[in-house]
Amino acid sequence: MAEAIFHPPRRKRRVYESYNSPFPISSTGEGIHGRDFQICQAEIINNNVIVKNPEDIEHLYSMGFFGKGILSRSRPEYNISDPMLVAKWQDVGLNMPIISSKKYQRHVEWAKSLMREQGLDDFTVDAAILNYTQPVNLREVEQNSEAEETIKMETAEDESKHAVTSSETNGDKVAGLEGDPFFDPLAENDSNESDVTGSKALAERHLATLCPVSVHHSYKPEDCINQDYNNEFVLVQEEEEEEESNLCLKKELVKKERLVCRRNPFRILEYLQLSLEEAFFLVYALGCLSIYYNEAPLSILKLWEVFSEAQPKFKATYMAYHYFRSKGWVPKVGLKYGTDLLLYRKGPPFYHASYSVIVELVNSDFEGSPHRPFSWKSLSGLNRTTANVSKELMFCYLIQPPDMTAKEMLSPECLKRIKVQVCKSCSDLFSEVTDCLKVSSSLDRM
């Protein structure tokens, strides 16, 4: 029988990050090294798990490299500012994004196309965009930032007053849901007001609700209050021509660059996207993430059901993900190389992926319905592709006990009865490492 040879991971030559101790969190309810316990929040949007809070994004990624920035290669560090322009204008001393006029015009075109999708004509869109993107005095920006806290306080007071009024109202109808502009958006366009509202005002209303525009288009009107004003206003480097006379009394046109403050009509926000396996591990195994759908938190059993419907192979891939995470590896999605998982030591910034993993759920006789049926030809091609990218092919078999029923698989507690057998590469197909999948979930701590 051939013996499996495990080669050391291949370290990257240039590393620009410092390594932080990863999860898991200690059983005492405190964070690692005495840090406070932090529960992050995520949302399900189009079968994707998205984290929006910048603090939660930094916490999850730095403590185990969970997720991926949707606008970045890996670490969520996208910034609208051009680094070269920031270095060029560093003496300005303004804490605002600096972009080129070409990039700003691209944002304008994106905003126009999005407004046209709302059914507005070109003349109305152009007029609204022109009015919205006029140069802004920096003093107005400072006043907006100072007034931000006042707006928050007034909004909170209005909500509390409305709650008191609703509680005092009697009757079969729910108070505030009919005829109140605070709850009923259609009440604002009632009778006479709809006649007065012109196309330009309608366009400005569309523009106000579309900015900031996220890449997932999941913007809520109240988010405008929570956004930093630096995300709304940008400094645009523009060129202007001026006449200069030299010693020969010849006038020449000279292009000079200047910074102009303008509103950003299309704001792109960086989010952290978690794979379904990563999201469930953070909820079930670590208990440091709450996932919401339509503003309602989902239980562990509901997440197991929803993720299994969204991804048919979720149960098997999560079992393998949980196993390798508990062994100290950092698993990532292996779709790019035709496999289920990629295994990194420490994390992608420090090492190249060592293994490409194929996951299969089988019974004790190694029989089952393979999600990825192989022929010798396709298996040889996959092995060669894996070798060309300096990785090794690994097969991870999840073995179900003979007496396990389909009802048990409806709960993540079935993981405690699953055994794992790892076979490394085609040449070592019969070499095996068998282990039991030991699970310590957040349910055990409840």
Side-chain angles (χ1 to χ4, degrees), residues 64-82:
F65 302 100
F66 291 93
K68 175 191 177 300
I70 59 173
L71 301 175
S72 309
R73 294 189 61 181
S74 182
R75 172 175 283 278
E77 56 185 2
Y78 173 81
N79 192 346
I80 186 176
S81 293
D82 188 336

Side-chain angles (χ1 to χ4, degrees), residues 104-163:
Y104 183 78
Q105 188 61 33
R106 192 182 307 135
H107 284 218
V108 170
E109 294 300 325
W110 288 342
K112 286 183 178 181
S113 62
L114 199 58
M115 293 177 67
R116 292 189 187 102
E117 293 177 2
Q118 306 297 325
L120 300 176
D121 59 275
D122 291 343
F123 177 80
T124 304
V125 170
D126 292 340
I129 288 290
L130 181 62
N131 182 54
Y132 190 83
T133 57
Q134 290 294 320
V136 180
N137 191 338
L138 289 177
R139 292 182 180 178
E140 296 179 7
V141 177
E142 294 175 358
Q143 292 174 359
N144 289 340
S145 63
E146 293 174 356
E148 208 170 67
E149 291 297 328
T150 305
I151 295 175
K152 291 182 181 180
M153 294 176 61
E154 291 177 353
T155 305
E157 291 177 0
D158 292 341
E159 290 179 356
S160 61
K161 290 179 181 179
H162 184 82

Side-chain angles (χ1 to χ4, degrees), residues 218-315:
S218 59
Y219 169 72
K220 301 173 185 178
E222 59 268 22
D223 290 345
C224 185
I225 300 177
N226 300 328
Q227 293 295 328
D228 190 348
Y229 75 96
N230 285 338
N231 291 329
E232 179 181 357
F233 297 93
V234 294
L235 296 176
V236 184
Q237 177 180 279
E238 298 180 354
E239 293 182 350
E240 61 178 0
E241 294 183 348
E242 293 184 357
E243 291 186 356
E244 285 191 359
S245 57
N246 54 18
L247 297 177
C248 299
L249 301 180
K250 292 182 179 179
K251 293 185 178 181
E252 296 181 354
L253 291 178
V254 179
K255 292 184 178 180
K256 290 188 176 182
E257 297 173 340
R258 62 172 184 169
L259 293 179
V260 180
C261 181
R262 298 181 185 272
R263 287 186 175 87
N264 186 7
F266 193 97
R267 275 171 272 167
I268 304 178
L269 305 179
E270 175 78 290
Y271 296 148
L272 183 73
Q273 181 173 347
L274 300 171
S275 68
L276 300 186
E277 293 81 10
E278 290 174 324
F280 196 81
F281 183 82
L282 291 168
V283 174
Y284 175 69
L286 302 183
C288 63
L289 181 70
S290 296
I291 300 180
Y292 290 75
Y293 180 71
N294 288 338
E295 300 183 357
L298 300 180
S299 64
I300 291 178
L301 291 177
K302 187 63 178 178
L303 287 173
W304 183 261
E305 176 187 349
V306 170
F307 289 172
S308 299
E309 292 178 358
Q311 184 174 308
K313 202 180 178 181
F314 168 75
K315 291 186 176 76

